[in-house]
Amino acid sequence: MRTLVIAEQDRGRLAPATLNVLGAAGELDGPCDLLVVGHDCAAAIESARVLPGVERVLVADAPVYADRLAENLAELVVAVAPGYSHLLAAASTSGKDLMPRAAALLGVNQVSEVIAVESPARFRRPIYAGNAIATVESDDPVKVLTVRQTAFAAVEPAGGTAEVVELEQVIEAVATRLVGEQLAESERPELTSARVVVSGGRGLGSREGFELVYRLADRLDAAVGASRAAVDAGFVANDLQVGQTGKVVAPELYIALGVSGAIQHLAGMKDSKVVVAINKDPDAPIFEVADYGLVADLFEAVPELIEAL
Amino acid sequence: MKILVPIKRVIDYNVRVRVKSDHSDVDLANVKMAINPFCEIAVEAAVRLREDGKADEVVAVSVGPKAVQEQLRTALAMGADRAIWVETAEDADLGPLGIAQLLAALVREEQPGLVLLGKQSIDGDNNQVGQMLAGLLGYPQGTFVSGLEVVDEGIEVVREVDGGLQTLALRLPAVITTDLRLNTPRFIRAPDIMKSRRKPIAHTGAEQLGVSPAAGPRLLAVHPPEPRAGGIRVESVGELLERLRQAQVI
Ligand SMILES: Cc1cc2nc3c(=O)[nH]c(=O)nc-3n(C[C@H](O)[C@H](O)[C@H](O)COP(=O)(O)OP(=O)(O)OC[C@H]3O[C@@H](n4cnc5c(N)ncnc54)[C@H](O)[C@@H]3O)c2cc1C
Ligand SMILES: Cc1cc2nc3c(=O)[nH]c(=O)nc-3n(C[C@H](O)[C@H](O)[C@H](O)COP(=O)(O)OP(=O)(O)OC[C@H]3O[C@@H](n4cnc5c(N)ncnc54)[C@H](O)[C@@H]3O)c2cc1C
C-alpha cells in the first residue's frame, strides 16, 4: 500500500487543507507521497519537503500547470497513479473538480467528503446534508478519496525530510483556457481553518448592515462566513458561504447572527465546538444547535457585545 | 446546438430525512420527492439558452426506475423539448461512475454540443457525475458554474471556487455543472403541465446502450449524525460573555 496526496495550493503556496489531508493519509497503512502541481511553486515545494510522514514530493512544475485545470491535471494524476493504493485530495472546490475526473479515467468510483477512515477500504461520509452518515466500502484497486478538512487534525508543518522528485510529464489542456480570476483578498483568518467564525444571514438586512459582522469578527480575530441568503442578496461574495453547498467549517467558536438555521446551513457548521446564535425569532431552528442562544435584535445586541469585548 | 440535461429524482430539499432503525439506509417511504434543485437550475439554464437562440433543442434524461418519469415531466413542463428515461432496476447497484458511463453512452448517441448537469445531488452529495462524464468523454469541464455565455469559439463559464470566482473558456462539446446562483428556475404553470403531456419520453436501458455500468461503493450502514448536546438560552449580552469566558472560547 502506498498513498498519494494531491497538494492543495493557493497562489503558489501550500494551502492549510493539505496538512489535514495528510492527517487522513496517516490513518492509512503504508508510506505517503505528495504531488505538487503548478507553476513557480517553489514556495509550496519548500513547505512540502518538511511535512512529516511524506516520503517523496513529486513535483510537476511547468507553465501548462499554472492554471490548475482539471482537464490536464486529471491526466497527470492518472499518469502518476500506478503503484498507489490510495489517491487523496481535499474536498475543496479544486479537489472536487479534479478527483472525480481522474477516478473516471482510472475506471473507479470516488468516495467523496470522507470524515473517517475505518480501514483502508472502509470510510464514513455524510449524506443528505449531513443528516445521515454512511459507512461505505470500496473494492476498487485504487481508492480515490476527497477528504473533509475539518474531520482530520492537521499534521505539523515541520519535522519531515522528503525527497523531491521532478516529474517529466508535460500535459497540456487543449480545450480549456483560463480567462480570468476574481479572488477575494482578505487579511482575516481563512474561513475553513479559523479558530473563530462570525457568520451573518439575511437578518443583517443589507451590505451596510453586514458591516456589523466584520466589526465583531475584527474584535475576535475571526473569519467571516455567511448564509446562502446573505450571498444571494449580495451582502457578501460567494466564497464566504457556509453550508451543504458552500464551505464546511468546524471552529472552536461559531457565532451565527441573523441566520435562521436551515438544514443546508447547519450542514456546514454543526460540527463547530461552541455555537452561539443571536436571532430575534425564538423559534428559529438555529437555536436547536446553539450552545448559547440569545433571542434579541442583533442591531442592539451585537454593538453591545462589541462594546463589552 | 443540442443540450442534454441529466436530472435526478431526489428527496424534496425541505424534508429532513430519517435513518431506518436497522441502520441499513435512510427511510424514503412516503417521503416527498422532487427534481434535484441543482438539476432544476440546469434545466432552466438550458431552456434559457434555447429561448435566446443559442440552442435549438433541450433533451432531459434521467437514470432510474419508473418513478423518474415524474421528474422528466417536470423538466418537460419547464420547457425541455423531449426526454429520455434510462431504465434501471429499483435495486440496481449504481454509483456515480455507473451513472456517468450510461450518460456517456447516451451522449455518443445524441451528440449534444453541451451537457448541463447539477453540481451535486442533495441526497448522495457526491458531486462527481459531471466531472466523471467529462473525463470519460474527453470533454472540457466547467464545474460549479454561476454564469455562462455562449461565444464564438465555445462557451465561457464563471465558476464559484473557494477563493472567489474563476472564468474559463471551454471548447464545445463540453460538460457544465451548475451552482445555485446560476439562475432562479421558473415557476411551472398549469398550461405548461398540459403541454408537457404531449412531449415524448423515450425509453432505453443499459443493454440497449451497450453498457454494463460499474457498481458503486458498497453501502454498509447508515447512522444518524452525533447529536449536539442541548444548549441554553442566555438572557443578556452580559450573560453570553460570561458563558463564553467560562467555556474559554474567547
Ligand atoms: C440545494 C440547496 C442548497 C443550499 N445550500 C445552502 C448553503 O450551502 N448554505 C446556506 O446557508 N444555505 C443554503 N441553502 C439555503 C437555505 O435553505 C436557506 O434558505 C438559507 O440558509 C437561509 O439563509 P438565512 O438564514 O440567512 O435567511 P432566513 O432564513 O431568511 O433567516 C434570516 C433570520 O434572521 C433573523 N433576523 C431578521 N432580522 C433580525 C434582527 N434584526 N435581529 C436578529 N435576527 C434577525 C430572522 O428571525 C431569521 O431567522 C440551500 C438551499 C438549497 C435548496
Ligand atoms: C436505480 C438506482 C439505484 C441505486 N442504488 C444505490 C445503492 O444501492 N447504494 C447507493 O449508495 N446508492 C444508490 N443509488 C444512488 C446512486 O449511487 C447515485 O444516484 C449515483 O451514485 C450518483 O450519485 P449522486 O446522485 O450523489 O451524484 P452527483 O455527482 O452528486 O450528481 C451530480 C449530477 O449528476 C446528475 N445525475 C446524478 N444521478 C443521476 C441520475 N440517476 N440520472 C440522471 N442524472 C443524474 C445530475 O445532473 C446531478 O445533479 C442508486 C441510484 C439509482 C438511480
Side-chain angles (χ1 to χ4, degrees), chain A residues 257-305:
Chain A
L257 306 174
V259 173
S260 62
I263 49 178
Q264 295 86 5
H265 188 78
L266 302 186
M269 48 65 70
K270 69 181 173 188
D271 291 328
S272 305
K273 205 152 146 246
V274 171
V275 174
V276 170
I278 301 180
N279 194 306
K280 68 179 180 189
D281 172 8
D283 297 322
I286 190 75
F287 288 123
E288 290 165 31
V289 300
D291 298 278
Y292 308 110
L294 177 63
V295 178
D297 185 327
L298 68 90
F299 293 106
E300 289 163 19
V302 178
E304 195 184 328
L305 185 59

Side-chain angles (χ1 to χ4, degrees), chain A residues 109 112 125 134 136, chain B residues 5-10 25 36-39 42 61-65 68 86-99 103 116-131 177-178 216-219:
Chain A
N109 276 287
S112 300
R125 58 176 304 264
V136 298
Chain B
V5 190
I7 62 171
K8 189 178 181 195
R9 172 183 170 88
V10 298
D25 206 339
N36 182 42
F38 293 95
C39 301
V61 51
S62 192
V63 181
V68 304
V86 182
E87 185 174 6
T88 60
E90 196 92 42
D91 57 354
D93 197 7
L94 285 176
L97 180 62
I99 303 278
L103 294 174
L116 262 167
L117 303 91
K119 80 164 178 179
Q120 88 193 57
S121 315
I122 60 161
D123 52 359
D125 277 337
N126 277 308
N127 197 331
Q128 298 182 21
V129 173
Q131 297 87 314
T177 76
T178 61
R218 260 195 315 285
L219 185 63

Side-chain angles (χ1 to χ4, degrees), chain B residues 133-180:
Chain B
L133 179 63
L136 294 176
L137 294 164
Y139 288 3
Q141 70 189 44
T143 51
F144 329 142
V145 161
S146 63
L148 56 82
E149 194 184 347
V150 176
V151 292
D152 282 345
E153 330 72 82
I155 193 158
E156 272 192 20
V157 297
V158 180
R159 304 182 55 225
E160 294 202 354
V161 294
D162 286 340
L165 297 171
Q166 182 189 61
T167 305
L168 297 181
L170 311 176
R171 232 190 253 165
L172 297 177
V175 171
I176 289 176
T177 76
T178 61
D179 217 316
L180 294 172

Side-chain angles (χ1 to χ4, degrees), chain A:
Chain A
M1 288 217 314
R2 194 177 188 96
T3 300
L4 180 67
V5 169
I6 289 87
E8 177 83 16
Q9 260 194 72
D10 184 12
R11 289 161 250 194
R13 289 209 194 84
L14 210 61
T18 304
L19 305 184
N20 304 82
V21 181
L22 284 170
E27 299 190 19
L28 298 161
D29 303 327
C32 175
D33 296 340
L34 185 70
L35 174 63
V36 177
V37 195
H39 184 45
D40 287 336
C41 37
I45 298 165
E46 269 321 294
S47 329
R49 276 184 50 231
V50 299
L51 293 175
V54 177
E55 261 191 27
R56 298 187 302 171
V57 177
L58 311 185
V59 176
D61 188 329
V64 292
Y65 302 128
D67 302 333
R68 297 181 53 78
L69 303 169
E71 188 190 326
N72 54 337
L73 256 52
E75 282 184 52
L76 178 69
V77 170
V78 171
V80 181
Y84 290 101
S85 57
H86 293 79
L87 305 177
L88 270 64
S92 57
T93 50
S94 60
K96 288 172 178 173
D97 187 41
L98 168 65
M99 296 305 267
R101 186 171 179 120
L105 293 174
L106 291 164
V108 298
N109 276 287
Q110 172 187 287
V111 182
S112 300
E113 296 257 359
V114 169
I115 57 167
V117 174
E118 291 198 343
S119 82
R122 194 178 285 191
F123 312 97
R124 284 212 297 269
R125 58 176 304 264
I127 53 175
Y128 292 89
N131 285 307
I133 308 296
T135 307
V136 298
E137 191 166 69
S138 159
D139 297 331
D140 286 322
V142 49
K143 298 348 172 208
V144 178
L145 315 180
T146 61
V147 170
R148 181 171 282 191
Q149 184 186 345
T150 55
F152 295 90
V155 298
E156 288 296 319
T161 50
E163 176 196 354
V164 176
V165 180
E166 306 271 350
L167 297 177
E168 301 294 318
Q169 290 95 338
V170 176
I171 304 169
E172 269 182 80
V174 292
T176 318
R177 184 172 53 84
L178 178 71
V179 176
E181 283 179 306
Q182 235 182 295
L183 300 180
E185 295 291 341
S186 171
E187 297 296 303
R188 288 170 209 284
E190 198 268 324
L191 182 54
T192 55
S193 52
R195 199 188 68 83
V196 181
V197 173
V198 183
S199 260
R202 199 194 319 257
L204 272 305
S206 64
R207 189 171 254 275
E208 294 68 44
F210 208 90
E211 282 300 317
L212 209 48
V213 177
Y214 287 110
R215 279 173 48 210
L216 179 58
D218 284 341
R219 272 302 158 86
L220 296 168
D221 194 22
V224 169
S227 71
R228 173 189 172 186
V231 178
D232 285 0
F235 303 171
V236 291
N238 66 285
D239 55 292
L240 299 189
Q241 182 174 314
V242 170
Q244 180 184 19
T245 54
K247 286 180 180 155
V248 176
V249 302
E252 279 184 41
L253 176 61
Y254 187 89
I255 304 180
L257 306 174
V259 173
S260 62
I263 49 178
Q264 295 86 5
H265 188 78
L266 302 186
M269 48 65 70
K270 69 181 173 188
D271 291 328
S272 305
K273 205 152 146 246
V274 171
V275 174
V276 170
I278 301 180
N279 194 306
K280 68 179 180 189
D281 172 8
D283 297 322
I286 190 75
F287 288 123
E288 290 165 31
V289 300
D291 298 278
Y292 308 110
L294 177 63
V295 178
D297 185 327
L298 68 90
F299 293 106
E300 289 163 19
V302 178
E304 195 184 328
L305 185 59
I306 293 169
E307 192 69 23
L309 275 166

